[in-house]
Amino acid sequence: MKLPGQEEFEHSSAHENVLAEELDSGLGPGPSLGGPSDTDNGESGVSKDPLLFIQLNELLGWPQALEWRETGRWMLFEEKLEVDAGRWSAPHVPTLALPSLQNLRSLLAEGIVLLDCQAQSLLELVEQVISGESLSPELRGQLQALLLQRPQHHIQTTGISSCRGPNAFRNVSFDEDTPMKLQNPLKQKLPPGAEAAAVLAGELGFLAQPLGAFVRLRNPVVLEPLTEVILPSRFFCLLLGPPTLGRSYHEMGRAAAVLLSDPQFQWSVRRANNLHDLLAALDAFLQEVTTLPPGRWDRTARIPPPKCLPSQHKRSLSELQEVTGLSRGSAAQARDRHHHGQHAPSPELQRTGRLFGGLVQDVRRKACWYPSDFLDALHPQCFSAVLYIYLATVTNAITFGGLLGDATEGAQGVLESFLGTAVAGAAFCLMAGQPLTILSSTGPVLVFERLLFSFSRDHSLDYLPFRLWVGIWVATFCLVLVATEASLLVRYFTRFTEEGFCALISLIFIYDAVGKMLNLIRAYPIQRPGSPAQGCFCQFPGPGGNASEWTSTKHKDTDVLSVHLGLVNASLLSPPECIRQGGYPRGPSCHTVPDIAFFSLLLFFTSFLCAMALKHVKNSRLFPSVVRKVFSDFSSVLAILLGCGLDAFLGLATPKLLVPTEFKPTLPGRGWLVSPFGANPWWLSVAAALPALLLSILIFMDQQITAVILNRAEYRLQKGAGFHLDLFCVAVLMLLTSALGLPWYVSATVISLAHMDSLRRESRACVPGEAPHFLGIREQRLTGLVVFILTGVSIFLAPVLKFIPMPVLYGIFLYMGVAALSSIQFMKRVQLLLMPTKHQPDMLLLRHVPLSRVHLFTAIQLACLGLLWIIKSTPAAIIFPLMLLGLVGVRKALEWVFSPLELLWLDELMPEEEKNIPESGLEPEHLFSRAGNEDSELMYQPKTPEINISVN
């Protein structure tokens, strides 16, 4: 359907395909914050067109002294000049009166439209604009002189402290601000390649008829006097006319600026060929305008910018069809490619049909990135990540080493945990397909180790040789899985499985942190008042040196008992001072130490709360953005340093970090290499295949679920995954650690996610009103490698590490578990169970799925999580690997309970579900036809990481 006043473009089928391909490849509407790495917004479907800085200059002073003054500017949002306050307003979403858009359309339809103008200066541009006007030579000269007049700009003279806008300005005219323009801090907020657009509007008495002109320059030219920031100008819009009632030309100027700031309109105008194209783009904008009824809102209220801008892809598809005349088939083809491309399997998960074919492809894919895996680590952010993950890894090694020592009665211990973590982790970082993964001992594997030792002890078997054969069989089974490309099964690990596993691991972290603190309190009981023998006496020898003649004082409430008043008032003497005075402290209170349990709890909660608070500093309005980012990046490190400083200041005897000082196995009398048989019969090497089969399932699930979580598309990883290569590395390391009697290692979900989140990249060039964009992860191998090298060296750093209080590290453990648990959608749905309907947040899934169905899905997840925890904590833990695998089966069974639409919002579709549903059934028009047009574009919203540990 054509819009009023719009003529269809005549496109060939080849041109249709070019436009569809351009849109599908990311060259669609919308300004790009393009630039290297940290200045790119990375959104799929966002064009490569430069960001446009738009300035409104208004003609004021008629009929006395006419002058141009800057009254508004736009990047993504509007900023108005608050003249009385002498500052720019906070960025806000612009609101327009509908007549201003209609008047602007009428003026442009009858005015001058110059597309691909070749003017090289402001003078040439003005001459071309006014040459078509039927004015007398005198009036034409006055108009030209007026348009060439230098405007008054409002320039900021102090630094911008955040992306939310300026804070101090002054008025300067152009002829005095040329040095100022070169130092305008606003330019630092604009990405490279940004262009300018100037809108001139006002009332001019000597004009009998309105004058409207819209110019698009073929090559952007610096029209230096027009804008406060020196940028090449692409668009020029002139709106002048005789005086009228109200501020019609001011509002028309705002309307023109708002149009140019709209990504869809800008994209269309950049490619327009004539006046009809320009009007068609304006009509398309009017079709999408949302009107607010008068009297139902405050016209002076300013709408703050949204936290996340909606995707422009759906708007671009409809506009591509309606404005450019693209056929329905071509538009649908572009839409299908964009939408279904999100559901297509990644290259890492496509079957080759050859033995070890997936492994070979992983190696080839990762080889070309290997040099950059080290060069990309040359960034200060990596230093923060190393410090944080090192402390987390050391704490994890000590914790699991102690637990493993208890579980195996000293057969393995903290030293083996340190050595195994260093060797296995460093080797994995060098060889793995996803080097951001952090290998560690995990709760499920520790449960299996405890069961294996108990079986060996109960049947009088030699534990380490038996464990060696189990490790050999596990490595063999894992190699078979690699050869047969079994890692492709991770496609069935939907968010249902990932959330259940991540919640279980997070709860283990929380449970261990709290359990360790309770053990500490039992070791250092809380001191309670009320003991009858409390008090401290300072005993002095008598005059003859006889100790039986003494002076003592005792504090009891406010009473002071003093004997032999001729001597020093001993009631004011502390035990050390009493000794220096020649006395002898007597009484139980003289040697009382501070309450260790109380101060340990203080350190525990201080480190936890400090890390949580500093993590959110980045989103606050306090301090400059650079300071906030430093606090956020080093939140955990600062929390640990604060805890250590508080402990040192108070001089408390809290439990400190214990690091092995001797490099020898924990079990006396054994060497580093484990004997293949020991005292065990030969057939046990074959029988070990049975427990190894269960452990293989556990290793596969533990490793691959973590790998799926880390490689989700929401993290925008550029170098790809390596599911087959990672499992191969784990298999080889399983052989090595089993032969050396070291713990077994797989990917640690929580620490790996913490590692990734400490390497998050966000856009730096944020224009006023724009929140920093998530760009992806700084993918490299060096941080993990350095972390594990430092872990190995930590054996020799005992003199330094011994000052770190264990309660502080337990607090960091609690922080990691809570951050992981609170960031998954599962916990948000659990909160809905306890929340009245009127207080529930406006979650997208609640718009499309009945609340009772949401509660049913959540209850099923809670039941599965509870069952996993119960099995893990009982002697039935031997079947724990099968229960993890059972999560996939439960998710498959949910297809009989929930519809595909409900599963699409609550979880994800499995491969078979996508195949069984026609392609048209996956289109937003079909899936969301009942939801209304306001939600139909939600499928095009850019995803953010669902499971995200914000610990940087």
Side-chain angles (χ1 to χ4, degrees), residues 343 495 499 825 829 842-850 854 857 891 898-909 913 923-924 926-931 934-941 943 946:
H343 296 274
R495 193 166 61 200
E499 287 183 341
Q825 188 200 73
R829 287 187 277 107
D842 186 20
M843 299 174 64
L844 295 182
L845 64 91
L846 294 180
R847 301 183 186 181
H848 304 281
V849 183
V854 175
F857 189 84
R891 169 58 183 85
F898 298 91
S899 67
L901 173 61
E902 292 172 336
L903 290 176
L904 186 62
W905 282 105
L906 292 169
D907 186 31
E908 296 170 352
L909 295 180
E913 293 177 275
E923 289 303 308
H926 295 79
L927 285 177
F928 310 111
S929 58
R930 294 172 295 177
E934 71 275 6
D935 291 337
S936 61
E937 69 176 19
L938 295 177
M939 279 298 295
Y940 296 94
Q941 294 274 5
K943 288 187 176 181
E946 283 289 344

Side-chain angles (χ1 to χ4, degrees), residues 719-743:
K719 300 181 180 181
F723 296 100
H724 310 282
L725 180 56
D726 289 349
L727 187 58
F728 174 80
C729 293
V730 169
V732 173
L733 293 174
M734 182 70 65
L735 279 176
L736 177 63
T737 54
S738 299
L740 295 177
L742 304 178

Side-chain angles (χ1 to χ4, degrees), residues 50-54 190 193-197 220 231-235 270:
L51 181 72
L52 203 61
F53 170 77
I54 306 152
L190 299 174
E195 297 177 348
L231 291 172
S233 296
R234 174 69 70 175
F235 298 101
R270 285 179 181 272

Side-chain angles (χ1 to χ4, degrees), residues 757-787:
D757 201 72
S758 65
L759 296 170
R760 288 169 62 94
R761 294 188 300 115
E762 292 183 339
S763 58
R764 292 177 298 181
C766 47
V767 300
E770 178 199 14
H773 293 285
F774 170 69
L775 304 178
I777 307 296
R778 203 171 299 280
E779 302 174 62
Q780 37 73 45
R781 297 178 183 269
L782 198 57
T783 54
L785 183 62
V786 173
V787 163

Side-chain angles (χ1 to χ4, degrees), residues 161-212:
S161 60
S162 70
C163 296
R164 293 297 175 184
N167 53 11
F169 303 85
R170 75 171 189 182
N171 245 346
V172 291
S173 62
F174 178 78
D175 46 1
E176 68 181 59
D177 73 339
T178 301
M180 181 72 65
K181 284 178 168 290
L182 299 178
Q183 303 172 5
N184 191 343
L186 182 61
K187 190 170 184 179
Q188 301 175 6
K189 298 296 179 180
L190 299 174
E195 297 177 348
V199 179
L200 278 63
E203 298 176 347
L204 197 56
F206 60 75
L207 289 180
Q209 298 294 330
L211 170 60

Side-chain angles (χ1 to χ4, degrees), residues 364-538:
R364 290 176 177 173
R365 188 183 305 109
K366 302 301 292 188
C368 61
W369 294 105
Y370 204 79
S372 67
D373 285 342
F374 294 92
L375 297 177
D376 291 346
L378 303 179
H379 191 275
Q381 186 182 17
C382 296
F383 176 72
S384 167
V386 166
L387 289 178
Y388 171 40
I389 301 303
Y390 163 68
L391 292 172
T393 303
V394 167
T395 308
N396 197 58
I398 292 174
T399 302
F400 281 100
L403 295 175
L404 190 61
D406 295 338
T408 60
E409 297 181 359
Q412 295 169 300
V414 175
L415 181 65
E416 285 82 359
S417 182
F418 267 82
L419 181 61
T421 301
V423 173
F428 189 87
C429 287
L430 287 173
M431 301 185 301
Q434 182 48 272
L436 296 174
T437 303
I438 299 295
L439 289 193
S440 175
S441 299
T442 63
V445 175
L446 179 62
V447 170
F448 195 90
E449 293 249 30
R450 181 183 294 112
L451 294 173
L452 196 64
F453 178 82
S454 299
F455 179 83
S456 302
R457 182 190 56 197
D458 296 341
H459 294 81
S460 301
L461 299 177
D462 200 347
Y463 169 64
L464 289 179
F466 180 43
R467 182 180 179 275
L468 169 62
W469 282 106
V470 172
I472 292 174
W473 279 110
V474 170
T476 303
F477 291 146
C478 289
L479 290 176
V480 171
L481 294 175
V482 173
T484 56
E485 299 179 301
S487 295
L488 300 180
L489 296 175
V490 302
R491 291 182 296 175
Y492 294 90
F493 296 169
T494 64
R495 193 166 61 200
F496 177 88
T497 306
E498 297 169 18
E499 287 183 341
F501 183 78
C502 186
L504 177 67
I505 301 301
S506 301
L507 288 176
I508 290 177
F509 266 68
I510 297 173
Y511 180 81
D512 286 345
V514 175
K516 285 290 185 181
M517 282 304 302
L518 293 178
N519 292 336
L520 189 148
I521 292 175
R522 283 193 290 267
Y524 299 88
I526 297 177
Q527 300 177 13
R528 294 177 173 83
S531 175
Q534 285 193 351
C536 182
F537 301 87
C538 185

Side-chain angles (χ1 to χ4, degrees), residues 655-805:
K656 300 300 191 295
L657 184 63
L658 298 178
V659 182
T661 56
E662 294 182 334
F663 188 75
K664 65 179 182 180
T666 303
L667 184 64
R670 88 164 182 96
W672 281 113
L673 287 177
V674 177
S675 172
F677 295 100
N680 297 333
W682 66 269
W683 53 264
L684 195 61
S685 61
V686 179
L690 181 59
L693 181 60
L694 294 174
L695 182 58
S696 299
I697 298 174
L698 177 60
I699 294 292
F700 180 81
M701 296 291 294
D702 206 344
Q703 170 66 34
Q704 299 296 45
I705 290 178
T706 302
V708 169
I709 295 174
L710 297 183
N711 291 284
R712 290 184 69 90
E714 292 91 297
Y715 289 106
R716 301 180 182 178
L717 301 180
Q718 303 297 318
K719 300 181 180 181
F723 296 100
H724 310 282
L725 180 56
D726 289 349
L727 187 58
F728 174 80
C729 293
V730 169
V732 173
L733 293 174
M734 182 70 65
L735 279 176
L736 177 63
T737 54
S738 299
L740 295 177
L742 304 178
W744 290 322
Y745 295 96
V746 292
S747 298
T749 307
V750 173
I751 298 182
S752 298
L753 286 171
H755 184 212
M756 288 187 64
D757 201 72
S758 65
L759 296 170
R760 288 169 62 94
R761 294 188 300 115
E762 292 183 339
S763 58
R764 292 177 298 181
C766 47
V767 300
E770 178 199 14
H773 293 285
F774 170 69
L775 304 178
I777 307 296
R778 203 171 299 280
E779 302 174 62
Q780 37 73 45
R781 297 178 183 269
L782 198 57
T783 54
L785 183 62
V786 173
V787 163
F788 290 114
I789 291 175
L790 290 176
T791 303
V793 175
S794 297
I795 301 175
F796 309 101
L797 295 180
V800 177
L801 298 178
K802 68 181 182 181
F803 294 105
I804 301 179

